[in-house]
Amino acid sequence: MRLNHLFLLSALIGALTFFGCGDDDNDEVTLRMQFEHKFGSEDAVYGSVYEIDGIAMRFDLGMFYCSHFTPKDDSGDAITSFTDEYILVRADEPTIHEIGTFNAKSVKGLGFRIGVESSVNHGDPANWTSPHPLSSQSPSMYWGWDNGYIFFKFEGRVDTDEDGEPNAPVLYHIGKDDFFELVDISVNEATVDGVMDVIVTVDYEKLFTNIDFTVDRVNHTNIESLHIATQLAENWPSMFE
Amino acid sequence: MIAFPRYIILWVLACLVLSCESDPCNDATVYELDLPAGFPAMPVPEGNELTQARITLGKQLFYDKRLSRDGQIACASCHLQELAFTDGEAVSIGAQGRTGFRNAPSLANVGYHPYLFREGGGISLETQVLGPLEDSTEMAFNMLEAVNRLKEFPEYQAQAEQAYDQEFSAFVLTRALGAFQRTLISGESAYDQYLYAGAVLDSAAIRGAILFNGDKAQCSSCHSGFNYTDYSFQNIGLYDEYSDLGRARVSLDLADIGKFKVPSLRNVALTAPYMHDGSIQRLEQIIEHYDHGGQGHINQNPAIVPLGLSTDEKADLLAFLESLSDLNFISKPEFGPE
């Protein structure tokens, strides 16, 4: 009988030691995100002109929502998920977005989505207090009807008369429940003093893959050109690294 | 001790009691809508229960042109009380003289509408505010900028605190406009008086009502209920090709091309021109459209077929539609500007 008790006690101590050691290996990490906006290798700056497939394109506006942040370990498994965090990225505002704090041994990947989930998408921006990203924005990121939030907004001008000067407006206001696209990037940044700053590069040139942007220049996610909106949304994941 | 005459004490007490009574404009108690006979209770969203303070603030905002970018267009610019809150234009003229692409709908009984706009894209009176406020052909403004502009005015800040217990915000702006618009109730037409108060009605209008509700014209299969609409989306064969896709703009469904929300027919004689694009000028032409049976668009409601109405029947239908005008509604001071 006494031997049994001794055995159980040893097993308990062993188990506590084992699991306790596992916790000690994890560090508290505060994940933050910054975005670098590019056209290829060049910095994307409002008012600047870039060449895409030899055609001049002026960049006037780039804004998009990100949400559902999921840091991943070296096996690609989710460490945790921040489903209540939303950020609005503006290409003209270098901002450090704090996502959340969690325990992890290492972070090797990050998943997030472009846009907001359906239950939030059809809510009322007036229910969010400024400066929350989902509150009213200027420029607006919400349609005044049931389509909800504009997930991704790109505006600029493109050269359509082949004189090298961007002349015709390009407006892509894309958003729809089905376009809640998943982005997966690898993370190589180190944690410094408990903070991991993940630098995400956004390449707007890749937005135009399989898009004839001299013809299909304006898209508000309308039924007449839904295939273009769908292609633009499908291009989002490849824009980020 | 000084002895005051008893009547002075009573007078002072009376003054105190009366001064405690709330100013009707500042009343925070729930405002009870005075519903006409035959009207159901109006659904009011949680958190925006009607109070006099909210309605008063909403009315001020409704008539405030500072809600548009150029300061020239108020909600009331396209929703005039004397026209049952329409504007008499085929399509409305917005900020900086820009032309819109839709006919302004009446706001009579708008609080009962389950969705707003002609394609039904507005999901509540509160959220729909963003539509006209930010549309480049209407008020051409931005909600954040509008709030920042109006919150500079102390009277709006004070009213926001009083009505919603918070500073002036997009929440306050949208809720107050919704509250005021829910009071825009119209149910005192000649036909209502005939139905519910025993008033005499022209015999042509009575015959028209029978035709309207009967199997021959079948108008009431869509224009049904106390508000003369079932709020469904219908393609009535106005065109064989629609430049405005209607409900399909929201649903992204090709089967919804050319479908628009069935409008209420209350005050219809006051709200010309008609249809989503204001393309029909007179009620007689609408009756002719239905008698003809539509243009045969692929999504046209199959119930819309030639009716074979006689000249007298058309006149009777017209008399009935004209009997739906509520002259009190278009002259009530509580709906008009201060």
Side-chain angles (χ1 to χ4, degrees):
Chain A
M1 192 70 172
R2 183 168 292 179
L3 202 62
N4 277 350
H5 281 163
L6 201 61
F7 174 74
L8 281 172
L9 188 64
S10 305
L12 188 64
I13 289 168
L16 282 172
T17 307
F18 179 77
F19 288 113
C21 280
D23 279 348
D24 286 343
D25 284 351
N26 283 343
D27 294 321
E28 192 172 81
V29 178
T30 297
L31 176 68
R32 306 195 306 186
M33 291 174 77
Q34 295 181 56
F35 291 80
E36 285 184 348
H37 303 269
K38 301 275 187 185
F39 269 84
S41 58
E42 296 179 78
D43 288 341
V45 178
Y46 284 1
S48 296
V49 177
Y50 305 90
E51 279 212 354
I52 303 174
D53 298 333
I55 299 168
M57 163 81 77
R58 192 178 83 195
F59 180 47
D60 290 335
L61 188 141
M63 293 170 73
F64 53 88
Y65 280 106
C66 298
S67 63
H68 283 233
F69 304 93
T70 305
K72 296 176 180 177
D73 62 20
D74 48 10
S75 306
D77 295 327
I79 299 167
T80 186
S81 198
F82 297 99
T83 53
D84 294 331
E85 292 296 323
Y86 304 89
I87 63 173
L88 176 58
V89 181
R90 295 169 181 258
D92 64 335
E93 285 183 8
T95 306
I96 298 172
H97 303 274
E98 187 163 321
I99 307 302
T101 301
F102 53 96
N103 287 305
K105 190 175 175 183
S106 66
V107 180
K108 293 295 179 190
L110 178 63
F112 59 91
R113 287 185 179 271
I114 303 299
V116 299
E117 70 269 30
S118 179
S119 58
V120 171
N121 194 24
H122 302 289
D124 181 356
N127 283 327
W128 302 91
T129 307
S130 185
H132 191 283
L134 297 176
S135 67
S136 298
Q137 302 293 326
S138 180
S140 183
M141 288 296 283
Y142 191 86
W143 279 294
W145 61 85
D146 196 26
N147 283 25
Y149 286 89
I150 300 168
F151 291 3
F152 197 109
K153 206 172 197 178
F154 177 93
E155 294 182 5
R157 283 186 177 268
V158 65
D159 174 22
T160 56
D161 53 10
E162 298 179 11
D163 66 352
E165 293 292 321
N167 57 294
V170 177
L171 295 173
Y172 296 143
H173 295 181
I174 309 300
K176 182 175 179 287
D177 287 345
D178 296 346
F179 295 166
F180 192 40
E181 293 286 338
L182 179 65
V183 176
D184 254 316
I185 58 170
S186 58
V187 171
N188 302 308
E189 287 83 353
T191 303
V192 179
D193 295 334
V195 175
M196 174 176 277
D197 281 319
V198 176
I199 314 292
V200 182
T201 303
V202 192
D203 185 355
Y204 291 91
E205 197 173 314
K206 291 180 178 162
L207 177 64
F208 302 100
T209 305
N210 297 324
I211 300 284
D212 185 349
F213 51 88
T214 59
V215 177
D216 299 311
R217 293 183 292 100
V218 177
N219 197 298
H220 293 274
T221 322
N222 347 51
I223 187 172
E224 307 97 311
S225 51
L226 199 56
H227 62 292
I228 303 296
T230 302
Q231 180 63 62
L232 287 163
E234 285 174 1
N235 291 343
W236 294 338
S238 66
M239 293 174 64
F240 297 86
E241 60 180 46
Chain B
M1 187 170 175
I2 302 167
F4 287 103
R6 193 174 294 169
Y7 70 87
I8 290 182
I9 294 171
L10 285 172
W11 183 80
V12 169
L13 283 173
C15 283
L16 282 172
V17 168
L18 288 174
S19 68
C20 285
E21 275 187 9
S22 53
D23 177 342
C25 289
N26 296 338
D27 200 342
T29 56
V30 172
Y31 177 95
E32 295 290 345
L33 291 168
D34 184 17
L35 298 178
F39 276 47
M42 182 185 289
V44 175
E46 195 180 329
N48 201 21
E49 292 76 16
L50 297 181
T51 67
Q52 188 60 60
R54 292 172 178 181
I55 294 164
T56 302
L57 173 56
K59 179 178 161 181
Q60 250 179 278
L61 290 164
F62 188 83
Y63 285 97
D64 196 333
K65 293 181 176 177
R66 291 173 294 193
L67 272 176
S68 60
R69 185 171 294 281
D70 66 359
Q72 298 300 311
I73 302 290
C75 307
S77 302
C78 302
H79 298 285
L80 287 77
Q81 183 185 11
E82 61 268 30
L83 295 176
F85 293 94
T86 61
D87 63 2
E89 303 285 344
V91 292
S92 301
I93 307 299
Q96 294 158 333
R98 291 178 183 154
T99 305
F101 78 117
R102 291 263 177 86
N103 179 252
S106 171
L107 301 185
N109 306 320
V110 72
Y112 288 100
H113 289 229
Y115 22 74
L116 292 308
F117 306 143
R118 292 191 181 268
E119 83 295 315
I123 53 176
S124 74
L125 272 176
E126 285 74 15
T127 57
Q128 67 81 30
V129 174
L130 271 170
L133 192 139
E134 296 197 340
D135 191 309
S136 60
T137 64
E138 296 188 48
M139 298 165 112
F141 212 6
N142 171 274
M143 177 61 81
L144 195 61
E145 294 174 61
V147 167
N148 287 338
R149 179 188 284 180
L150 293 188
K151 74 197 298 186
E152 296 301 316
F153 295 90
E155 62 271 28
Y156 271 136
Q157 282 291 14
Q159 283 181 283
E161 291 287 349
Q162 199 165 49
Y164 292 99
D165 200 22
Q166 60 176 270
E167 69 169 12
F168 193 83
S169 64
F171 181 91
V172 169
L173 190 155
T174 56
R175 268 59 188 172
L177 279 168
F180 170 63
Q181 289 175 87
R182 285 191 178 88
T183 68
L184 301 177
I185 291 171
S186 172
E188 298 176 47
S189 67
Y191 189 64
D192 292 308
Q193 302 298 324
Y194 163 74
L195 279 184
Y196 298 109
V200 175
L201 187 68
D202 179 70
S203 57
I206 295 172
R207 288 194 302 273
I210 293 167
L211 191 58
F212 182 90
N213 292 301
D215 290 339
K216 186 171 184 181
Q218 295 187 51
C219 311
S220 65
S221 57
C222 294
H223 292 286
S224 56
F226 75 100
N227 211 17
Y228 299 94
T229 170
D230 63 0
Y231 308 105
S232 63
F233 298 97
Q234 301 293 339
N235 179 319
I236 60 165
L238 186 62
Y239 299 113
D240 50 14
E241 195 174 334
Y242 283 82
S243 57
D244 182 343
L245 302 181
R247 181 65 181 163
R249 291 185 74 212
V250 173
S251 69
L252 305 180
D253 184 347
L254 294 171
D256 286 336
I257 288 177
K259 290 184 180 176
F260 295 88
K261 187 173 69 171
V262 173
S264 168
L265 296 185
R266 287 192 171 275
N267 303 297
V268 69
L270 305 170
T271 62
Y274 305 102
M275 302 299 164
H276 66 277
D277 55 359
S279 58
I280 295 187
Q281 299 299 316
R282 301 189 342 267
L283 280 176
E284 292 90 329
Q285 293 170 293
I286 294 184
I287 294 169
E288 288 297 337
H289 167 80
Y290 283 108
D291 190 41
H292 179 264
Q295 300 290 325
H297 186 272
I298 190 169
N299 294 334
Q300 181 177 316
N301 184 329
I304 294 174
V305 292
L307 299 175
L309 297 174
S310 68
T311 304
D312 286 347
E313 285 174 325
K314 291 174 188 173
D316 290 344
L317 271 177
L318 181 63
F320 168 66
L321 294 174
E322 288 173 338
S323 77
L324 297 177
S325 296
D326 176 354
L327 302 182
N328 286 335
F329 177 65
I330 61 170
S331 59
K332 272 186 181 170
E334 57 262 45
F335 298 156
E338 295 299 326

